[in-house]
Amino acid sequence: MDTPTKIRFGFIAALWLVLVWLVVVSQPLTLWTIFMIAVSGIVVWVPLYKKYIRNDSGNKKQ
């Protein structure tokens, strides 16, 4: 993974963590809130993993 991609990952991680923190602070922590945080994590991180991490190992062979 090159440096700009690492910077993007860091920025997205920081933004996602701040948004999760805002949700947790603004309302009581219930099972529904935890479920929504998990779903948002899947929606954010799985496509990024598939695009950059999983395909990165295949690009090194070329």
Side-chain angles (χ1 to χ4, degrees), residues 9 12-13 16 19 37-49:
F9 262 79
I12 291 171
W16 185 77
L19 291 173
I37 291 170
V39 168
S40 73
I42 291 169
V43 167
V44 169
W45 295 110
V46 168
L48 291 175
Y49 172 80

Side-chain angles (χ1 to χ4, degrees), residues 5-62:
T5 304
K6 289 179 184 177
I7 292 170
R8 276 189 297 237
F9 262 79
F11 182 75
I12 291 171
L15 180 64
W16 185 77
L17 287 172
V18 166
L19 291 173
V20 167
W21 178 76
L22 287 172
V23 167
V24 170
V25 170
S26 68
Q27 58 187 357
L29 191 62
T30 62
L31 188 60
W32 182 252
T33 306
I34 294 171
F35 175 71
M36 286 294 119
I37 291 170
V39 168
S40 73
I42 291 169
V43 167
V44 169
W45 295 110
V46 168
L48 291 175
Y49 172 80
K50 285 182 177 182
K51 183 174 182 180
Y52 293 112
I53 306 290
R54 190 176 65 181
N55 290 336
D56 193 33
S57 61
N59 291 338
K60 289 181 181 178
K61 294 178 184 176
Q62 294 178 348

